[in-house]
Structure formats: structure tokens, C-alpha cells
Amino acid sequence: MDPSEVEFLAEKEFVKIIPNFSLDKIYLIGGDLGPFNPGLSVDVPVWLALNLKQRQKCRILPPEWMDVEKLEEMRELERKEDAFTPAPSPYYMELTKLLLNHASDNIPKADEIRTLVKDIWDTRVAKLRLSADSFIRQQEAHAQLDNLTLMEINTIREFLLDSLNCMYKLRSNLQPGATKGQFGDY
Amino acid sequence: MFIADIKKDFYEVVANQRVALLVAADIDGLCACKILQALFHCDQIQYTLVPVTGWQDLSTAFLEHKEQIKLLIKEDDDLGVPTYDDIFRDEDEEEEGEGSGNESDEGSEPSGKRRRFDEGAIERRIERQRAKRQWEARRREILFDYEQYEYHGTSAAMMFFELAWVLTKDTKDMLWWSIIGLTDQWVHDKIPHMKYVSDIATVQRHVSRHNHRNEDEENSLSIDCMRISFEYDLRLALYHHWSLYESICNSYYTACSFKLWTLKGQKKLQEFLADMGLPLRQVKQKFKSMDVTIKENLRDVIEESSNKYGMKDIRIQTFGVHFGFKNSFLASDMVHAAAALLESTERDENDPTDNFIKALDSLSRSNLDRLLSGIDLAKKKLIAIQQTVASCICTNIILSQGPFLYCYLMEGTPDVKLFSKPLALTLLCKYLLKAFVQSTRNKRCKLLPLIMAAPKDMEKGTVIVVGIPPESETSDKKNFFGRAFEKAAESTSSRTLHDHFDTSIIELKSEDRSKFLDALITLLS
């Protein structure tokens, strides 16, 4: 999966906006949206929020988890625990990037939030690498990791699966009596 | 087309149609174009962008798109438009009403009173005729003034920003573009100082409105957001991106005040720097790497010292923008950079549309490398201008022809290709006139306007001629050379091209140069 595909899936998440135009309820395939009244907040998917923001038709309100104190707590928790703690949101990385790129003037303390989210991401990915490393070293058959987000899984997916494939090929060639001299597709 | 309410009469008419945007090749037009483009993107209006360099281009573009055009938007500076009521008036109705009223009166009243009514009617008619004659005379006067002088009104970029503000779609980007448009008018000397100051005050209101919108102790903005700030900064071109020494040598204000083409002038400059206590090594370094302790009070120190050396207006009110940690630009920096890109003679293809698009791109925040390349080109252009001015003054090729001063740049002059473009040549003209006024002893020559000619196209053998009004403190920047050039060309049947939107810039065949000049001399004396 491409990271841009993951971002595309993240755009389905809902976020609160305050429009400055009025429109009746609209009926889309994915669900109903609206009605839009100027000055009243309404829940819309991120793709629509960003489009309206770029056309200067709305103001985006930061999601609840995008707050400096909450993120600081989560970061501390993440650093203490060995296992993965629940992520701020299943798409926290993508939403942070999208919202801070297009609507940073609507989000207070945007720079600090960016730093905090990056810290959380670094910690989690480091744990993921450690766990993948120990999985391979101890040659386990299966493992279970809770609370991973799609973006993190996507980061390690290709590498982990390819390396497991290679290891399998190497191992199967080491076995005596195995098919002789087959080196696979190198 | 005269418009009273820009939102109703213009934007809403345009909103549901496909628009052709014809933009003149100057920075103010570019900025206005950017603002309109942003507005069109917001409302998803389709548009076609066509850069034009003169009246001929305008007509070709018009003919090309003729089938689809109902309304044209042409952007360049307003050329001093008088009010609507002064020129047009529907007075036919009025006349008829009075006429029929008179007849009915005449018919119904008895004969005794008829004479009095007649007299009353005649008097009224005489009154009306007199009023009409007066009105006609005034109209002729206004039109004559309009067509005789050429001057610039409010910046087009500022007008489109007002439109955006009325639509409440104004952003800091648009505000910055309108500031650049206004500064372009000041840099290229198109508006008088008073107008510049009052326009700055108008813009300052918008800037403070935007700055108060979300600047709070707790909710401070991200560093990436654009911050526009009012600066009472030095009149040294590009000094933040250059070294202080180079900037002083190549800005026309300081170079002319010190007379840096003479040896005495150079010595005076050294004295000036010593007076401020700035070591030469620091001053010749890139400004960004200068010592912080020196940079802190630099503006005040320079202002104090320059007052001693007779430069009273070293500081000028302007605006600067900051975004990210490293990027800060003054409005005049951006004007110089965009102008250099617009008229760059670097490549051989020299496609004007290409340069136009490059200059347009450099105005966006996301194209910083384009802007920085523009700043480099602007530095080269300023150095070239300064050297040309120095050589012109030292070799005395400015001649007084009676009613005006005249200067011709020979083909072999270095960087002469740069001066085949109108904006660059106008800048050169302005600096040259100021330098000449400083260096000449002849009191009469100081009040003369300057006409300058430079080779434009080698194959066609044409020169470009520019005329600017005389140098004075309180000039209202009205330029009468447009009409003068036309009349001189007619009377000598010289082959000229009055193509540029600025009527004081024309193209002329080199062979006709001398008779054209003679005609001008007789015309203006």
C-alpha cells in the first residue's frame, strides 16, 4: 500500500468546521452532510473540510485529541510503556499533516503539536522496529501487537514480509535433503 | 467601462462566466492578476490568462478570443480617470420635457399672459443653453487634461484587494500582493509621494486588522504562517540580501547624494561609514552574517549620520513579510526581483510569456528559489544601472537640447541589452536624471525633463525612447511626453510604434532619430 493511499483513507474521518455560507442538507453516497449554517459548527469529512478551507468558506476546529497537554501526556505514557498505548486517533499522523499544512492558522500552538506528534510517532516506530527485530531473532511463529495504526503497519509491512520471505528461502536451503542447489529467485 | 460598485457590477457579472484576463507586463498588473486568480480559484470560475505587452498584443488577443468575449478585464494602472458625471450626461430627456411643457403652456393660456410665458420660456432656454455651453467647455477641458497628461491612479492590485475585502475573502497573501503592487508604483516613480503615503495608511489599516485577528498570548500562530509588519526601513535596495556596502553603492538615493562616481564621493562614503563606527570588514560582508550588535540599532544610526550628510529621507515607510525561520523580505525587494525576472535577457529565446510566468510564480510564497534567482538578477541589474549612470555622467553624454535633456546609449555600452526593456530603461532614466541634477552646476538644466534612447532591436534597427518629467520635490508625476511624441512623429512622418501602454515609451527607427528629435525641440520650445 502506498502512503498516499493511507492518507486517502484517513480523509474519511470526521472533523468539525464552522462554515460561512449556508446550504441545505446534501445527500452523498457516503452519507448525508449538513445542513450548513454560517457560524454553526457541523461535522464533515476531512476531504470536504480541506476543500472548503482552501476556498475560504469555512474555519476548521482542531479535533479533541489535538491539544498540547493531552499529547504531552500521551507522549509520556508511550515512553514509559513497553507495549503500544492506544493512539490519539487511528489516523493521527495523517490528520496532523493534513490539518497543519492547510489550516495551521486555525489550530493554536501548531508548531508544538507538530513536534509532539512527531515524538509520539518516533517512539512507536522505534518500539515496532524492536519488536520486529526480536520476532525474527527468536524465530517466533506468530506475534500479536495491539493499538497499531494503519500508517505504522504500512511502514513496516513491506520490509517485514520481504525479509521473512528471504529468511524462509535461506532456511529452506540450509536443510539437508532439501532440493539441492535451488537458490530461488536471486 | 465605468463602475460604481465593484462587487455588484463587476464580480457578480463575471462570476458565472468564462473570463479572459489580459494582463499588462508590469508588477502592479502581475499582483492584481494574482489576487484575481486567487478569487477565481475560491469560486471556481474558469479563466484564461493572456499576457500582453502593448496595444497591438491586446488587439491580437482580443481578435483571437473574439467569439467568446463579452467582457474584458484589462489590468494595468489606472490612467487618471475623471468622474462619470463630468463626461456623460443624459440631457436629451430634459430638453424634450421642457419643450413639450412649453407648448402646452402656450396653447392653454390666454394671449395676455402668453408673452410673459414666452419670455419666461426664452429665459429658461437661454439659461439652459448657457449651462450646456459651460458644461461642454468643462468637458473639453477635462478630456484635454485627461489626454494631454499621463499619470497613474490607484494601484490595480489595491483595487482588487478592496474587492476581495468586500467579498470577505481577503487573505494575508492577497494583502501582501496589494502591498507589492503599491510599492511597484513607488519604486518606478509612478505616483507622487503624498499619494504613496496615504495609500500606505490605507493598507496599514488592513495589516493591523489581519494581525489582530489571531495574535494572542496563548494562541500564537505557527511560525510558518505569513506575518506582515509595518517597517520604517532604509531606502537601500535589497540590503537584507546583499552586503550593506554594495547596497549603499548601488541604491540611487545614496549613490546620487554621495556622488559615488567621483573620487570625492568615494571618500565621503568612507567618512560616512567611519562616522557611524561600522568597520569596513563588517559592512562588506553579507548582511545576514553581520554582527548582531551592529545590526540592532543600524537603522537609527544610519538615519542620524545620513542627516549630517544631507540625506533627509533615508528612511521610508514600507512593509515586510516574515514566514518560516529564515525568510524575510521587504516589499521593495520583491518588486525588484519580479521586475528583473519579467525583463530578464538571460536566455536567448526571450519569450515574453515565459518571463511573465516566471515573474508571476516568484510572487507566490511556495516558489522561494524563483524569488531568490530574481533577487540575484535584480542585483546584477542595479549594478549595471549604476555603472551606466557613472559612465554617462563622467563622459558627459547628456546634452541639453533646449527644452529637454537628451541622452543616447551607444550600441557598445556594456549591458545595453538590459536597457532595451521599458521598465529597466525607465529606472535608468530616473537615476540618471537625479545624478545629473546633483552633478551639474547649470541651474537651468536642473529643471529640465530627460529623454533617453537606447537600441532595442538590432535586426529591425529600432531604438526605444523614454521621456520622464523633470526632477522636483513636489512633482505630481504627470507626463506630457505621450502627446508630444505622437505630434512629433506625425509632423516628421517618422516610423514610430506607440505600442506600449505607457504612452511616454515608444519605439523608433534609428534613421529617423535626428529628425524626430528636431521636431520635438521645435514642439516643446
Side-chain angles (χ1 to χ4, degrees):
Chain A
M1 230 187 196
D2 208 34
S4 46
E5 290 176 21
V6 181
E7 188 182 69
F8 182 70
L9 290 174
E11 285 178 350
K12 275 179 18 177
E13 291 290 299
F14 277 80
V15 75
K16 270 200 178 347
I17 64 164
I18 299 184
N20 62 19
F21 61 97
S22 63
L23 189 61
D24 287 331
K25 210 164 176 191
I26 52 177
Y27 302 95
L28 303 176
I29 293 180
D32 302 339
L33 293 176
F36 296 90
N37 293 310
L40 296 178
S41 73
V42 62
D43 275 324
V44 294
V46 169
W47 56 267
L48 182 61
L50 290 179
N51 182 288
L52 289 177
K53 173 77 185 162
Q54 283 169 335
R55 289 161 58 188
Q56 295 178 52
K57 287 183 161 15
C58 77
R59 192 158 69 88
I60 297 189
L61 296 174
E64 282 169 11
W65 52 267
M66 208 181 261
D67 173 59
V68 172
E69 283 114 21
K70 291 205 184 120
L71 288 175
E72 270 177 359
E73 274 175 34
M74 287 194 198
R75 182 183 61 170
E76 294 315 315
L77 198 57
E78 193 73 46
R79 283 182 179 164
K80 272 197 312 202
E81 298 275 329
D82 279 342
F84 292 93
T85 60
S89 141
Y91 292 103
Y92 71 98
M93 195 62 192
E94 304 88 296
L95 286 182
T96 314
K97 173 190 166 256
L98 285 170
L99 292 180
L100 290 181
N101 278 354
H102 296 281
S104 58
D105 48 340
N106 290 148
I107 298 179
K109 302 203 184 157
D111 295 332
E112 293 171 27
I113 289 180
R114 200 175 263 156
T115 324
L116 286 168
V117 167
K118 185 82 172 70
D119 286 342
I120 295 179
W121 168 267
D122 284 340
T123 320
R124 291 169 73 96
V125 165
K127 281 191 206 168
L128 192 56
R129 271 199 293 264
L130 260 178
S131 124
D133 185 54
S134 65
F135 177 68
I136 293 181
R137 224 176 271 276
Q138 295 159 21
Q139 296 183 16
E140 302 279 352
H142 66 270
Q144 176 178 328
L145 295 168
D146 295 327
N147 296 326
L148 276 182
T149 63
L150 185 56
M151 196 67 164
E152 288 151 2
I153 297 175
N154 194 48
T155 323
I156 203 166
R157 175 183 291 137
E158 212 173 297
F159 173 70
L160 188 61
L161 294 181
D162 275 348
S163 50
L164 287 174
N165 264 341
C166 289
M167 307 238 356
Y168 173 69
K169 286 198 178 96
L170 287 173
R171 216 178 296 137
S172 60
N173 283 326
L174 276 179
Q175 306 279 3
T179 47
K180 287 190 208 145
Q182 266 198 5
F183 279 83
D185 24 283
Y186 276 91
Chain B
M1 184 173 152
F2 293 102
I3 294 183
D5 178 5
I6 195 168
K7 175 175 172 185
K8 243 181 340 132
D9 298 337
F10 170 66
Y11 198 70
E12 290 178 5
V13 166
V14 154
N16 297 324
Q17 310 190 18
R18 178 117 194 242
V19 179
L21 208 55
L22 298 151
V23 188
D26 69 348
I27 311 299
D28 190 23
L30 252 66
C31 296
C33 171
K34 287 293 262 195
I35 296 180
L36 260 192
Q37 274 183 321
L39 279 176
F40 286 167
H41 285 162
C42 277
D43 288 324
Q44 296 179 338
I45 299 174
Q46 290 179 316
Y47 65 95
T48 320
L49 182 63
V50 184
V52 293
T53 47
W55 297 104
Q56 280 183 353
D57 256 357
L58 184 60
S59 38
T60 9
F62 183 71
L63 289 171
E64 271 176 27
H65 295 98
K66 199 164 65 164
E67 283 81 55
Q68 306 161 23
I69 289 188
K70 287 182 220 165
L71 174 67
L72 274 188
I73 305 176
K74 180 172 85 100
E75 294 167 338
D76 59 358
D77 300 310
D78 284 333
L79 294 174
V81 178
T83 61
Y84 184 81
D85 286 326
D86 286 338
I87 300 196
F88 301 108
R89 198 167 90 177
D90 299 316
E91 48 163 39
D92 299 344
E93 298 177 334
E94 224 176 73
E95 294 257 67
E96 259 186 4
E98 289 282 78
S100 54
N102 276 341
E103 280 163 35
S104 61
D105 275 348
E106 280 177 34
S108 57
E109 294 301 325
S111 50
K113 291 190 185 169
R114 194 170 159 197
R115 191 177 288 233
R116 221 178 305 140
F117 269 131
D118 267 349
E119 280 175 8
I122 290 177
E123 266 175 33
R124 271 202 302 278
R125 195 168 294 150
I126 291 179
E127 257 315 309
R128 257 201 332 263
Q129 280 179 349
R130 197 183 322 145
K132 184 173 180 196
R133 270 200 296 271
Q134 275 179 352
W135 184 83
E136 292 257 294
R138 232 186 112 225
R139 177 180 194 257
R140 266 198 305 267
E141 207 180 280
I142 291 179
L143 276 180
F144 179 64
D145 265 343
Y146 179 54
E147 285 170 6
Q148 177 195 45
Y149 284 102
E150 180 212 340
Y151 55 100
H152 291 262
T154 318
S155 145
M158 280 186 62
M159 297 197 53
F160 283 119
F161 179 74
E162 299 279 331
L163 168 66
W165 180 46
V166 164
L167 296 169
T168 60
K169 290 209 166 86
D170 55 328
T171 58
K172 281 198 185 151
D173 280 308
M174 292 187 198
L175 180 57
W176 181 239
W177 288 325
S178 69
I179 292 175
I180 297 181
L182 173 63
T183 316
D184 165 59
Q185 285 195 318
W186 175 70
V187 165
H188 291 111
D189 218 19
K190 293 182 188 166
I191 52 175
H193 190 68
M194 286 281 74
K195 176 134 178 58
Y196 176 70
V197 170
S198 54
D199 281 345
I200 288 264
T202 327
V203 171
Q204 169 67 352
R205 285 198 284 273
H206 289 290
V207 167
S208 27
R209 184 172 52 90
H210 274 270
N211 279 343
H212 283 163
R213 211 182 254 180
N214 28 21
E215 279 292 347
D216 217 342
E217 279 314 306
E218 297 145 12
N219 303 339
S220 55
L221 278 186
S222 156
I223 195 77
D224 281 335
C225 287
M226 186 184 234
R227 279 179 177 76
I228 304 179
S229 52
F230 178 77
E231 312 264 351
Y232 190 39
D233 213 339
L234 299 170
R235 211 192 263 212
L236 299 172
L238 297 176
Y239 82 99
H240 287 285
H241 308 274
W242 221 348
S243 67
L244 194 59
Y245 186 74
E246 293 268 347
S247 183
I248 295 181
C249 291
N250 290 314
S251 312
Y252 87 105
Y253 188 70
T254 41
C256 293
S257 312
F258 283 131
K259 298 194 207 157
L260 284 178
W261 53 87
T262 59
L263 221 49
K264 242 179 85 178
Q266 301 272 358
K267 288 215 179 93
K268 239 172 133 187
L269 174 62
Q270 309 279 6
E271 266 178 44
F272 174 69
L273 292 172
D275 186 54
M276 292 192 289
L278 299 176
L280 253 168
R281 249 191 66 213
Q282 285 292 331
V283 159
K284 288 196 179 175
Q285 258 203 12
K286 273 177 73 125
F287 188 78
K288 296 208 160 125
S289 341
M290 256 171 80
D291 234 357
V292 176
T293 47
I294 298 185
K295 275 200 275 197
E296 268 167 17
N297 285 334
L298 190 64
R299 292 184 207 170
D300 298 319
V301 163
I302 289 191
E303 186 172 16
E304 248 182 72
S305 298
S306 49
N307 273 332
K308 287 190 222 159
Y309 283 80
M311 294 188 287
K312 303 269 185 259
D313 299 314
I314 189 90
R315 284 174 92 162
I316 186 78
Q317 302 169 334
T318 182
F319 291 93
V321 72
H322 305 272
F323 47 92
F325 287 103
K326 196 166 70 140
N327 307 309
S328 85
F329 298 100
L330 284 179
S332 51
D333 297 345
M334 302 212 48
V335 168
H336 281 294
L341 279 174
L342 191 58
E343 301 192 325
S344 92
T345 51
E346 292 269 304
R347 296 236 207 95
D348 290 320
E349 304 114 41
N350 257 345
D351 188 13
T353 322
D354 223 6
N355 288 340
F356 180 87
I357 302 288
K358 283 203 190 118
L360 201 62
D361 280 341
S362 74
L363 291 174
S364 301
R365 253 198 294 165
S366 47
N367 295 327
L368 272 180
D369 46 354
R370 185 80 80 195
L371 182 62
L372 294 173
S373 73
I375 289 185
D376 282 330
L377 281 176
K379 287 182 195 170
K380 289 192 199 146
K381 182 168 130 181
L382 284 173
I383 294 180
I385 289 182
Q386 218 46 50
Q387 286 174 346
T388 317
V389 165
S391 72
C392 284
I393 303 262
C394 292
T395 56
N396 273 328
I397 63 176
I398 307 181
L399 307 164
S400 159
Q401 299 284 359
F404 56 84
L405 300 165
Y406 173 70
C407 176
Y408 177 62
L409 282 184
M410 314 288 271
E411 268 97 52
T413 326
D415 303 311
V416 78
K417 254 183 29 184
L418 210 62
F419 301 122
S420 63
K421 306 277 181 182
L423 281 181
L425 190 58
T426 327
L427 267 184
L428 175 65
C429 230
K430 187 174 90 141
Y431 293 10
L432 191 56
L433 185 57
K434 184 134 201 246
F436 181 74
V437 160
Q438 292 279 2
S439 69
T440 184
R441 290 208 202 115
N442 191 335
K443 287 226 165 73
R444 208 181 63 85
C445 279
K446 294 196 191 203
L447 302 169
L448 294 178
L450 172 64
I451 294 187
M452 195 145 178
K456 184 174 170 108
D457 196 333
M458 291 282 75
E459 297 139 15
K460 290 193 225 157
T462 54
V463 295
I464 175 172
V465 181
V466 164
I468 60 174
E471 169 82 18
S472 81
E473 292 293 322
T474 56
S475 82
D476 51 2
K477 312 284 176 199
K478 291 197 184 191
N479 196 328
F480 53 84
F481 278 113
R483 296 292 258 173
F485 283 164
E486 274 176 30
K487 289 213 177 98
E490 269 174 47
S491 61
T492 58
S493 56
S494 323
R495 294 159 283 179
T496 55
L497 194 63
H498 297 266
D499 187 38
H500 205 255
F501 290 121
D502 230 340
T503 48
S504 60
I505 302 180
I506 64 164
E507 209 178 316
L508 172 67
K509 281 271 187 198
S510 342
E511 297 96 32
D512 299 335
R513 215 170 8 111
S514 38
K515 57 176 178 168
F516 181 78
L517 270 178
D518 291 330
L520 262 182
I521 296 175
T522 38
L523 194 67
L524 292 174
S525 45

